[in-house]
Amino acid sequence: MLCIVSFIVLSILGIFSASNRQLAREALDCVLRRVTLRPCNTGFDEKIKAKILGVVITRSEAGARFLNRHFELLSWVAFFLLLGSSVMAVRGVYLFYVTGSCNGLNNSAFCVFDPTGQNNQVSTLGQTCSLSDNPERGVTLKNVDLSDWPVLNAGASNQIVMVGCYACDYTRKVYPSIRALVQKYRPEFRFGEYQVKEQTDLLTRVGYCVYHADPEKYWAMNDVLFTTEKANLDDPSYVHQLLASLGLDANQIETCASDPQTQTRVEKLLNEIRRTNFPGTPTIFINGVPMVGPKPYRVYAIQLEGLFYWMK
Amino acid sequence: MDLTRVRQDFPFFQKKPDQKTGAYFDNACQTLRPRQVIEAVTRYYQESSACSGRSMHHLAAEVTRQYDQARATLARFLGAAKKEEIVFTRNTTEGINLVAHALDWNAGDVVLLTDKEHNSNLIPWQMLARRAGVELRVVPSRPDNTFDMDAYSRLLDRKVRLVSFGFTSNLDGVTLPAAEIIKKAHQVGALVLLDAAQTAPHQRIHVRALDVDFLALSGHKMLGPSGTGVLYGKYALLEKLQPFQVGGDTVASSTYTTCEFLPPPEKFEAGLQDYAGIIGLGVAAQYLMNLGFDAIQKQEWLLNRALTSQLLEIPGLHLIGPSDPALRGGIVSFFIEGIDSHRIALMLDQMAGVMVRSGQHCVHSWFHARQIAGCVRASMYFYNTLDEVSLLVDSLKKIRKVL
């Protein structure tokens, strides 16, 4: 068992050191002999055992004696530990590929491939931007009325529901991926704008009015708002110009936005968004599965189209 | 011998604070090199890396001078009659092979060996036996591994063409009574070749006093650069030998069908030589002569006595060779019942940086005949200290306790 454990460990160390590479070759030879039920006669296991004992004996003679007596047993233990950790490591890599986190979807525990936890960061209603370990708990579309949410490709078999805010960094980061996904796979796409950073819902109201005036121009406006400087979002004249540049009657939209009826409908929409129990923006539901934080494109694509999305 | 001063000559001992102290006890394989040798080699490459003897320019003349000087130094080192008796080789093995190929053998000639020859002094003769129908005879050692003069005398007869013995055994450090061996061989008309690889670093050799016919040594075992060696031969015998390897620098002239060989030693030194190494070898020989073999032997015996007496305290440990350390030069070979020798060597290195050799030391035939798997060999040299000996023994005692 020692040679199998050694082969795996030394192969990894061999990436960085030539001497370990040579030992890995010896270990491989030993492994090949063992799997073909021949004795390992290269002296490799003896060499490794002596090297390990040589280190242990300088720290504890009793420890070295114990190790020497139970070396085979301890080799088996090391083998199973290695096997277990290898499975966990492979699982971690798989989970990272599929969910953007080594620990599973929306899990913000430490992941070596995403050490800063970027894939799970959200802009929240509070001041902090970090998540609890299970931020998706309770996040759901059940009993949420989506009928008033702006929609694209209504009735498609797949569905993306996105809760985001124009001024939030993480939403701005993920928005291009979602748009690309929508463009490529044409799912039903619903977008709920929720300003977690700003105290005003002006843009939400403007968005509501634009959508009802011309749905296509609403998505064009979203594309601009998610890419423009954040400072512009607080500037009514910029919004006015933007509406005009989209070929909309800016004055009419602004009148609509300040209409109390609009306010009531937007408030209803915001209430529906709150009913999702979303922890912050972006929160994206793909076919009902909540994904909190800006995941890589592939994670959404896999959720939408399966593991081999890139073949489609 | 001022050990502190001597050790300052060896860069190996100038450790950085974070380096293991350790101890180098693999001197029978290769010795460490003093600064003087390293500088001589480096100087050649930096200042005069040209050919010797071929070109006419001043750089070539300087190399020729240093090359000749090295040959003269080696001649003095061995007590040769003249420097032309010194043939430069790559090592002892090449020297022995040269004799094996260059003597004109007849089927039925006998080559006499001991039972603990290094492969370098065994395999060339096995090949010769196959090639030329030469008979090999092996002189068995006494039970304590010392030379059995009676057995030798019994095997010695007029058919013996060559006696080829390891002067000092790399297995146990035992040195043969060469003078008496040579005298007896000459009485039956046999030539004598001594493998002095393990002798030259430790003892004064005087080839004329011994009256030995051929003697081979290696530079890397006597502070010299690796890839250097010497074959000494009586000039009259060298003249009679056929060339071994031939080519550039071995001939005075040639036509398309004939050639005229140079006299010894040139006719045996084919191709461009390792000038840097040979110059370094000359410096190494001079270093040893300056140090004095009496001082070297005194230090080695001191170390061997200390190591032998302490090792014998370890249960299950068996020494190879005579128990008297004075008979074993700087070598202590041993095995511990039930513990693989490689494991001991690896653990010594790992736990204390103590470097020893393990296995069968290229004397497989001896081990196979006795069904001994292998042994650990600690080979000491004049620069080793009693503290290093203690480090080895203490580490061994720990290993014995644990395994």
Side-chain angles (χ1 to χ4, degrees):
Chain A
M1 277 314 102
L2 179 67
C3 53
I4 297 175
V5 177
S6 304
F7 172 62
I8 296 166
V9 173
L10 291 167
S11 297
I12 295 164
L13 294 176
I15 297 168
F16 310 103
S17 136
S19 59
N20 285 322
R21 221 169 293 146
Q22 177 57 33
L23 283 172
R25 272 190 216 108
E26 290 180 33
L28 174 63
D29 186 56
C30 190
V31 169
L32 293 176
R33 287 182 160 276
R34 292 298 291 261
V35 297
T36 51
L37 303 177
R38 289 177 295 164
C40 179
N41 61 358
T42 61
F44 173 78
D45 43 358
E46 191 60 43
K47 191 188 286 184
I48 291 294
K49 184 177 177 182
K51 276 178 177 271
I52 294 170
L53 283 173
V55 173
V56 176
I57 201 172
T58 55
R59 289 158 178 79
S60 161
E61 284 182 30
R65 202 174 300 127
F66 177 81
L67 185 61
N68 182 51
R69 276 192 198 145
H70 306 289
F71 201 79
E72 190 63 25
L73 175 71
L74 292 169
S75 297
W76 276 100
V77 171
F79 172 71
F80 284 115
L81 285 175
L82 185 73
L83 200 64
S85 60
S86 301
V87 168
M88 295 299 284
V90 170
R91 178 179 171 271
V93 170
Y94 172 77
L95 286 176
F96 178 74
Y97 182 72
V98 170
T99 70
S101 165
C102 308
N103 308 290
L105 187 62
N106 302 325
N107 193 320
S108 61
F110 178 76
C111 172
V112 71
F113 304 117
D114 179 24
T116 55
Q118 284 287 312
N119 294 347
N120 290 300
Q121 298 280 15
V122 289
S123 306
T124 64
L125 293 164
Q127 293 301 308
T128 59
C129 286
S130 58
L131 288 176
S132 62
D133 278 355
N134 296 298
E136 82 284 12
R137 191 171 293 163
V139 181
T140 181
L141 287 177
K142 274 182 190 168
N143 305 319
V144 176
D145 179 7
L146 298 171
S147 58
D148 276 349
W149 294 41
V151 61
L152 191 63
N153 308 326
S157 57
N158 286 321
Q159 183 193 53
I160 297 177
V161 177
M162 178 177 184
V163 178
C165 99
Y166 296 127
C168 300
D169 292 334
Y170 301 119
T171 307
R172 292 168 75 84
K173 182 180 172 187
V174 80
Y175 183 78
S177 298
I178 297 298
R179 283 296 277 153
L181 209 61
V182 170
Q183 209 155 13
K184 182 163 187 189
Y185 299 108
R186 305 213 161 272
E188 180 180 292
F189 177 48
R190 289 181 185 271
F191 178 71
E193 211 277 333
Y194 196 103
Q195 296 265 349
V196 294
K197 293 288 182 193
E198 307 299 323
Q199 295 308 310
T200 172
D201 56 2
L202 171 66
L203 286 174
T204 317
R205 280 182 277 125
V206 166
Y208 176 85
C209 292
V210 170
Y211 181 73
H212 283 90
D214 187 337
E216 270 189 35
K217 287 180 180 168
Y218 169 77
W219 298 110
M221 182 192 74
N222 269 4
D223 292 347
V224 175
L225 290 177
F226 274 117
T227 49
T228 189
E229 293 288 322
K230 277 165 72 175
N232 290 336
L233 302 176
D234 294 330
D235 182 358
S237 64
Y238 173 81
V239 176
H240 186 89
Q241 281 175 14
L242 171 61
L243 294 172
S245 70
L246 290 170
L248 292 160
D249 183 340
N251 292 328
Q252 190 188 336
I253 296 294
E254 282 164 1
T255 306
C256 166
S258 52
D259 186 334
Q261 276 193 344
T262 301
Q263 177 71 47
T264 307
R265 284 171 186 163
V266 165
E267 191 51 47
K268 182 175 175 284
L269 178 67
L270 294 177
N271 275 335
E272 290 302 319
I273 291 174
R274 288 186 200 104
R275 281 162 64 86
T276 64
N277 297 321
F278 78 108
T281 57
T283 295
I284 292 151
F285 300 85
I286 295 191
N287 293 329
V289 176
M291 309 181 95
V292 181
K295 315 292 184 198
Y297 173 85
R298 68 167 190 282
V299 175
Y300 300 121
I302 288 168
Q303 195 64 40
L304 200 64
E305 294 289 330
L307 204 54
F308 303 106
Y309 70 92
W310 41 271
M311 292 173 77
K312 294 180 180 172
Chain B
M1 184 189 298
D2 182 350
L3 206 53
T4 309
R5 193 195 59 73
V6 166
R7 282 167 71 94
Q8 282 171 356
D9 285 340
F10 291 82
F12 176 81
F13 296 120
Q14 318 309 314
K15 300 275 189 193
K16 291 174 189 160
D18 60 334
Q19 285 180 302
K20 265 186 193 172
T21 316
Y24 185 75
F25 285 129
D26 196 15
N27 295 290
C29 184
Q30 267 199 64
T31 60
L32 304 173
R33 272 64 162 197
R35 185 174 33 80
Q36 291 86 337
V37 171
I38 297 165
E39 285 173 359
V41 173
T42 308
R43 202 178 308 120
Y44 167 81
Y45 286 116
Q46 285 180 337
E47 297 174 12
S48 56
S49 54
C51 293
S52 160
R54 306 175 184 211
S55 309
M56 303 304 289
H57 54 77
H58 71 278
L59 213 55
E62 174 58 19
V63 178
T64 305
R65 187 189 68 75
Q66 290 183 38
Y67 192 63
D68 283 346
Q69 190 180 355
R71 200 187 298 277
T73 305
L74 265 301
R76 270 192 294 119
F77 181 78
L78 292 174
K82 51 183 177 178
K83 65 181 169 57
E84 287 75 15
E85 292 180 326
I86 301 298
V87 178
F88 287 121
T89 59
R90 285 186 299 142
N91 43 44
T92 305
T93 306
E94 187 175 82
I96 294 170
N97 272 282
L98 193 159
V99 176
H101 281 81
L103 273 175
D104 55 334
W105 300 96
N106 300 309
D109 285 348
V110 171
V111 174
L112 216 52
L113 310 169
T114 71
D115 63 352
K116 51 179 185 179
E117 296 302 338
H118 189 285
N119 285 332
S120 294
N121 194 31
L122 174 64
I123 312 304
W125 308 118
Q126 288 181 351
M127 293 296 103
L128 178 69
R130 287 186 203 171
R131 192 173 69 238
V134 165
E135 180 192 344
L136 302 188
R137 290 181 191 169
V138 176
V139 181
S141 300
R142 290 201 193 105
D144 68 351
N145 244 16
T146 54
F147 188 73
D148 188 338
M149 192 62 80
D150 293 336
Y152 169 63
S153 301
R154 280 196 297 277
L155 290 170
L156 200 59
D157 59 30
R158 292 270 163 199
K159 282 181 154 180
V160 176
R161 180 80 189 285
L162 182 77
V163 172
S164 184
F165 287 170
F167 196 168
T168 301
S169 167
N170 73 308
L171 170 65
D172 55 18
V174 171
T175 297
L176 305 186
E180 194 178 344
I181 288 168
I182 293 164
K183 192 176 168 189
K184 282 179 180 281
H186 286 171
Q187 283 169 356
V188 296
L191 297 170
V192 177
L193 164 63
L194 289 179
D195 167 356
Q198 299 294 341
T199 319
H202 306 280
Q203 301 175 36
R204 179 88 176 99
I205 296 173
H206 198 287
V207 288
R208 274 180 295 161
L210 286 171
D211 196 24
V212 68
D213 302 295
F214 301 104
L215 181 141
L217 61 83
S218 293
H220 60 271
K221 296 184 195 295
M222 48 172 280
L223 312 181
S226 43
T228 62
V230 163
L231 173 70
Y232 159 82
K234 286 177 178 168
Y235 195 77
L237 291 171
L238 289 178
E239 277 186 311
K240 286 182 196 164
L241 290 184
Q242 294 299 309
F244 172 39
Q245 291 176 324
V246 290
D249 262 10
T250 59
V251 292
S253 180
S254 66
T255 67
Y256 287 121
T257 52
T258 62
C259 67
E260 180 192 340
F261 282 102
L262 285 164
E266 281 88 355
K267 78 170 176 180
F268 300 110
E269 294 174 354
L272 193 101
Q273 297 296 290
D274 178 4
Y275 302 124
I278 287 164
I279 291 165
L281 177 59
V283 174
Q286 189 59 56
Y287 185 95
L288 288 172
M289 287 191 283
N290 292 346
L291 211 55
F293 280 101
D294 289 344
I296 290 172
Q297 277 187 305
K298 192 176 162 192
Q299 174 69 1
E300 287 177 1
W301 286 343
L302 175 78
L303 295 167
N304 202 328
R305 266 199 304 276
L307 180 55
T308 301
S309 63
Q310 291 179 69
L311 283 183
L312 290 174
E313 294 168 7
I314 297 174
L317 185 144
H318 299 276
L319 284 175
I320 290 177
S323 56
D324 182 359
L327 297 177
R328 283 184 279 103
I331 289 180
V332 181
S333 291
F334 61 88
F335 58 94
I336 301 177
E337 283 169 18
I339 307 179
D340 180 74
S341 62
H342 292 310
R343 189 187 291 185
I344 294 172
L346 280 164
M347 286 185 69
L348 284 172
D349 187 26
Q350 195 71 43
M351 64 195 281
V354 173
M355 291 164 271
V356 294
R357 176 85 176 262
S358 55
Q360 300 188 334
H361 317 288
C362 293
V363 198
H364 302 92
S365 49
W366 186 91
F367 283 92
H368 289 154
R370 285 155 187 78
Q371 294 183 321
I372 297 172
C375 73
V376 176
R377 182 184 69 190
S379 50
M380 297 164 283
Y381 208 17
F382 59 83
Y383 41 61
N384 287 122
T385 65
L386 286 171
D387 284 345
E388 291 174 345
V389 166
S390 296
L391 182 66
L392 166 61
V393 174
D394 291 346
S395 304
L396 266 176
K397 284 179 177 171
K398 274 188 189 175
I399 291 172
R400 174 74 274 198
K401 263 198 236 172
V402 164
L403 299 183

